[in-house]
Amino acid sequence: MTKGKVTDVKELKHIAKKIRLHILHMLTKSGSGHTGGSLSAVDVAVAIYFSKMNFNPKDPSWKNRDRFILSKGHAAPLLYAIMAEAGYFPMDVIDNLRKVESPLQGHPCCTSLPGVEVSTGSLGQGLSVANGIALGLRLDNNPARVFCVMGDGEIQEGQIWEAAMTAAHYKIDNLCAVVDNNGLQIDGPVQKVMGIAPIHDKWAAFGWHVIGIDGHNMEKILNALNEAESVKGKPTVIIANTTKGKGVSFFEDKVEYHGITPTPEEYERAVKEIHNG
């Protein structure tokens, strides 16, 4: 059994709206977690999960499943919201974000929650793991694909570029990486903390097929994912230009909402805004 494969843009946008509401609900209820970076990557992650990936929530270890690695593990509420919406666990489980012994830890934990492929949170490691999984699938003649979502601040890590070299060297074309390029990290603007520009040219120089898009335009995201799937002989990276806190006007482009959660009052305002959006 596979689930997903929603290709209707209107329906995908509707799913993205629900995911944003789930994220805000769990963050407000827990009073702890990362708001801005969870919201910025919603549209890309929804498109990957619901339009491209083969998976079975009733059999999370199904060998032919596509793999999703959230390298920017602090955006765990995004992953949990998608998994709940996809049917991996009952929706009311999201009320337990960050509680002691909850399967929904502050960062994804593969030993606590079936369906989480890799425990992430130490930034810069997800792409290396994605390389290994993708190579293993190729050795097994398994056509499954691997998707790895990274933060833009995360690609300041040296290990990312070692992994970038590796993926190009081994021509890992069953791998699609996405950079959630929202321009902000916990200490401020990415370009001010440690400049990463020109991102496109750097990935291309490392031997990747590079696609730049508006990471909130669902049509462009779908086109980019289709293009990535068609590229052979090299890995693909999608540079998704996004807005931190996307979907809630008073969170957008606010660095302080990298790691703080909505107040109950802000939650109510945000829900109304999303419903009216």
Side-chain angles (χ1 to χ4, degrees), residues 138-151:
R138 190 165 76 185
L139 288 170
D140 288 339
N141 293 314
N142 188 321
R145 293 175 55 76
V146 181
F147 299 88
C148 178
V149 174
M150 301 173 284

Side-chain angles (χ1 to χ4, degrees), residues 60-154:
S61 299
W62 177 45
K63 69 176 184 178
N64 292 330
R65 70 193 185 282
D66 293 321
R67 276 69 165 176
F68 181 92
I69 298 171
L70 183 66
S71 190
K72 45 177 280 182
H74 55 282
L78 165 63
L79 179 60
Y80 300 151
I82 285 177
M83 292 179 70
E85 190 65 32
Y88 280 90
F89 50 80
M91 188 58 73
D92 60 2
V93 175
I94 67 173
D95 290 349
N96 299 316
L97 175 68
R98 289 190 169 223
K99 290 184 178 176
V100 175
E101 298 185 352
S102 166
L104 310 188
Q105 289 298 298
H107 292 75
C109 178
C110 63
T111 59
S112 299
L113 185 62
V116 172
E117 297 290 348
V118 181
S119 298
T120 53
S122 296
L123 296 175
Q125 298 178 355
L127 188 60
S128 296
V129 178
N131 281 346
I133 293 174
L135 279 170
L137 291 169
R138 190 165 76 185
L139 288 170
D140 288 339
N141 293 314
N142 188 321
R145 293 175 55 76
V146 181
F147 299 88
C148 178
V149 174
M150 301 173 284
D152 51 356
E154 180 182 9

Side-chain angles (χ1 to χ4, degrees), residues 145-209:
R145 293 175 55 76
V146 181
F147 299 88
C148 178
V149 174
M150 301 173 284
D152 51 356
E154 180 182 9
I155 66 173
Q156 295 161 342
E157 302 282 349
Q159 186 172 338
I160 290 289
W161 300 105
E162 295 178 52
M165 280 190 289
T166 301
H169 178 81
Y170 289 106
K171 300 179 173 40
I172 307 177
D173 54 11
N174 56 341
L175 168 65
C176 177
V178 178
V179 177
D180 178 28
N181 191 32
N182 63 44
L184 294 173
Q185 60 188 111
I186 192 168
D187 291 325
V190 171
Q191 285 303 112
K192 187 175 181 180
V193 175
M194 177 61 72
I196 58 175
I199 307 177
H200 185 290
D201 292 345
K202 287 178 179 174
W203 285 94
F206 274 76
W208 287 59
H209 180 71

Side-chain angles (χ1 to χ4, degrees), residues 33 143 212 228 245 248 254 260 266:
V248 182
K254 301 284 180 58
I260 64 172
E266 288 173 331

Side-chain angles (χ1 to χ4, degrees), residues 244-263:
K244 196 108 172 179
K246 180 65 177 179
V248 182
S249 61
F250 47 94
F251 294 159
E252 290 185 358
D253 280 329
K254 301 284 180 58
V255 69
E256 56 267 36
Y257 282 100
H258 176 96
I260 64 172
T261 57
T263 65

Side-chain angles (χ1 to χ4, degrees), residues 6-18 46:
V6 177
T7 56
D8 180 75
V9 169
K10 185 177 179 181
E11 186 174 352
L12 286 168
K13 288 180 178 178
H14 178 65
I15 295 172
K17 182 178 288 191
K18 288 196 292 182
V46 164

